[in-house]
Amino acid sequence: MSGFSEKPDFSELVRVCARIGFLSFGGPAGQIALMHRELVEERGWVSEAQYLHALNFCHLLPGPEAQQLATWIGWKLHGLRGGLAAGMLFVLPGALVILALSMLYAWSAQIDWFAALFLGIKAAVLAIVVQALMRIAGRALNTRFKKALAVVAFLALFFLDLPFPLVVLGAGAIGMAVAAARPAWLALKPLGDPPAASPRPWRQSVAAVLVWGAAWALPMALVLLLLGRDHVLWQIGLFFSQLAVVTFGGAYSVLAYMAQEAVHGFGWLSAGEMADGLGLAETTPGPLIMVTQFVGYLAAFRAPDPFTPLVAGILGAVLTTWVTFVPCFLWIFALAPWIERLEHARRLNGGLAALTSAVVGVIANLSLWFLLHVLFARVEEATAGPLRLYVPDASTFDWRAALLALVAAVLIFRFRLNVIKVLALAALGGLILSRIG
């Protein structure tokens, strides 16, 4: 790989990364495109080959790939402090905005106009998730085997209620096996020449794992020591720490699992509130996975003892953000020195290809789950042998949500409006229809 065409000084890197952090709307595709324009096309700090090479590497890791790509670029330009600056500035603007919106939401949730506003946002989220499903399916499902994996993943999650980590990690294991025996099933490209032999950076990687592993665990140790295992903050930290390890394939892949656990498993919030949180995350800068902070805030806000609700909510939001993003720094600082070796690991690439295919089924599960819970006020669960079935109560059908979802779909698929405009128009529609219904 050729060297960087121009290396900025640290202050300029910070300034540009802060700009990217405040402008990084539009989900991972928009964020990756923004960084490409700012860092590759306009400033030439990173070559095209380096950028694509690093992006492929970040796809191998759990967590938000756009934030990890920013961290890697900062690390490559200015080492540890560059990686920290770039990674943190990618997250902090959105984190502060989501925290403020979470506080406003918890305070205003019972106000009629506020509920009407979010009626439209929930409906628009349905169309947005379907758009993400179609976009990822079009890119990922280019063989019959991959399509079969997506269908199996959907059936396993929606009807068999299998654990999300089992489904995605199982798909990855299948992909690793298929990559060795039938690579054409996964449309794996021929590998180029392996990198020249060089010392393996074990010391750097082990040091990063120890330091960032300790940073990841420190707040959890404090919660355990001061509040115990039964406190909501321990539950929040443990759940989102586990989530950080299995968040492959982008935020949408893990949202269904998070939503179902947060709603049905822990009872932290309702399905409608989960859709509201996703709508808020879609309209703010930073990774879409920041919706976890919204969940963490509401969970702690509603079980505040021994704190006030506001203090508990802030603690829940900060803890959630910490255990969600500190692992991203761990993966980058520990594995970035291995980037060239990892890209030539056929089994690993096969596992990623299969996992990405399964993610399409995961997002289909999320789409149908949201559809039922947004359009019907009451959805019961029933079992038939090994099957888990959702049974909506037809008498609770919300025609306003259905109409707004249809309008949002037309705006997205026919007129190709961006997400923020669609959410704004849907929110306005919710206010108008609330006066009628």
Side-chain angles (χ1 to χ4, degrees):
M1 287 166 53
S2 60
F4 289 89
S5 55
E6 180 183 348
K7 181 178 179 178
D9 60 38
F10 183 70
S11 61
E12 187 177 8
L13 175 68
V14 169
R15 179 178 61 80
V16 173
C17 288
R19 168 184 164 82
I20 290 172
F22 280 101
L23 296 177
S24 58
F25 295 90
Q31 293 157 359
I32 290 167
L34 172 65
M35 284 191 288
H36 184 272
R37 188 183 74 232
E38 293 279 344
L39 304 177
V40 178
E41 297 176 4
E42 295 186 3
R43 293 173 175 81
W45 292 350
V46 184
S47 72
E48 185 76 27
Q50 288 169 326
Y51 191 83
L52 294 176
H53 198 56
L55 179 58
N56 289 338
F57 163 67
C58 292
H59 281 306
L60 295 172
L61 305 175
E65 64 267 31
Q67 189 258 351
Q68 290 169 337
L69 179 61
T71 304
W72 181 86
I73 291 170
W75 172 82
K76 198 70 175 175
L77 289 169
H78 279 284
L80 176 63
R81 68 171 184 164
L84 282 172
M88 290 175 65
L89 287 170
F90 194 87
V91 170
L92 283 176
L96 293 174
V97 173
I98 282 286
L99 178 59
L101 291 175
S102 299
M103 295 165 65
L104 176 64
Y105 185 92
W107 175 70
S108 305
Q110 303 304 316
I111 300 176
D112 290 343
W113 68 264
F114 201 79
L117 196 73
F118 277 90
L119 170 67
I121 289 177
K122 282 194 283 279
V125 163
L126 289 177
I128 291 167
V129 174
V130 171
Q131 182 192 37
L133 171 65
M134 295 175 64
R135 185 173 62 241
I136 295 172
R139 185 175 68 242
L141 304 184
N142 54 358
T143 70
R144 290 183 179 180
F145 181 74
K146 289 183 174 182
K147 292 175 182 177
L149 277 177
V151 172
V152 169
F154 170 75
L155 296 175
L157 289 167
F158 194 83
F159 290 107
L160 297 179
D161 196 24
L162 294 184
F164 169 82
L166 176 64
V167 173
V168 295
L169 296 180
I174 291 171
M176 294 178 74
V178 170
R182 294 286 188 273
W185 289 7
L186 294 168
L188 295 179
K189 298 177 181 178
L191 297 177
D193 296 331
S198 60
R200 298 185 177 186
W202 287 112
R203 175 179 291 184
Q204 186 175 348
S205 296
V206 170
V209 169
L210 292 176
V211 170
W212 288 96
W216 189 0
L218 178 60
M220 292 299 294
L222 291 175
V223 170
L224 180 62
L225 180 64
L226 299 176
L227 300 170
R229 291 178 179 271
D230 295 330
H231 197 273
V232 68
L233 288 178
W234 174 260
Q235 297 172 355
I236 289 170
L238 188 63
F239 175 66
F240 287 111
S241 291
Q242 294 169 349
L243 208 64
V245 179
V246 295
T247 315
F248 293 93
Y252 284 109
S253 68
V254 80
L255 281 174
Y257 172 58
M258 180 187 71
Q260 289 166 344
E261 287 297 309
V263 172
H264 300 300
F266 294 102
W268 290 335
L269 71 174
S270 70
E273 289 171 332
M274 187 69 239
D276 291 342
L278 183 56
L280 291 178
E282 289 278 10
T283 60
T284 56
L288 184 59
I289 196 65
M290 198 66 74
V291 68
T292 57
Q293 181 180 281
F294 172 83
V295 176
Y297 182 92
L298 288 186
F301 181 88
R302 289 167 175 171
D305 189 62
F307 310 103
T308 65
L310 177 62
V311 170
I314 293 173
L315 289 175
V318 170
L319 178 62
T320 300
T321 303
W322 183 271
V323 299
T324 297
F325 289 100
V326 165
C328 296
F329 291 104
L330 188 157
W331 313 139
I332 291 295
F333 294 140
L335 297 177
W338 299 81
I339 179 171
E340 294 187 19
R341 296 177 185 271
L342 289 175
E343 194 163 82
H344 285 79
R346 177 171 287 278
R347 287 180 178 269
L348 191 59
N349 282 283
L352 176 66
L355 192 150
T356 304
S357 303
V359 159
V360 176
V362 173
I363 300 174
N365 172 50
L366 171 69
S367 302
L368 191 49
W369 188 84
F370 266 139
L371 175 71
L372 293 173
H373 286 85
V374 169
L375 299 188
F376 297 91
R378 187 163 57 252
V379 180
E380 304 292 340
E381 290 190 24
T383 57
L387 300 181
R388 185 271 313 275
L389 304 173
Y390 289 111
V391 183
D393 184 343
S395 66
T396 64
F397 176 74
D398 190 337
W399 66 269
R400 299 170 304 169
L403 177 61
L404 289 168
L406 180 61
V407 171
V410 171
L411 294 175
I412 287 175
F413 293 106
R414 176 67 179 85
F415 296 100
R416 301 187 183 281
L417 292 190
N418 66 43
V419 165
I420 294 177
K421 289 180 180 178
V422 172
L423 286 167
L425 290 172
L428 178 61
L431 286 172
I432 294 171
L433 289 181
S434 68
R435 302 292 183 181
I436 300 173

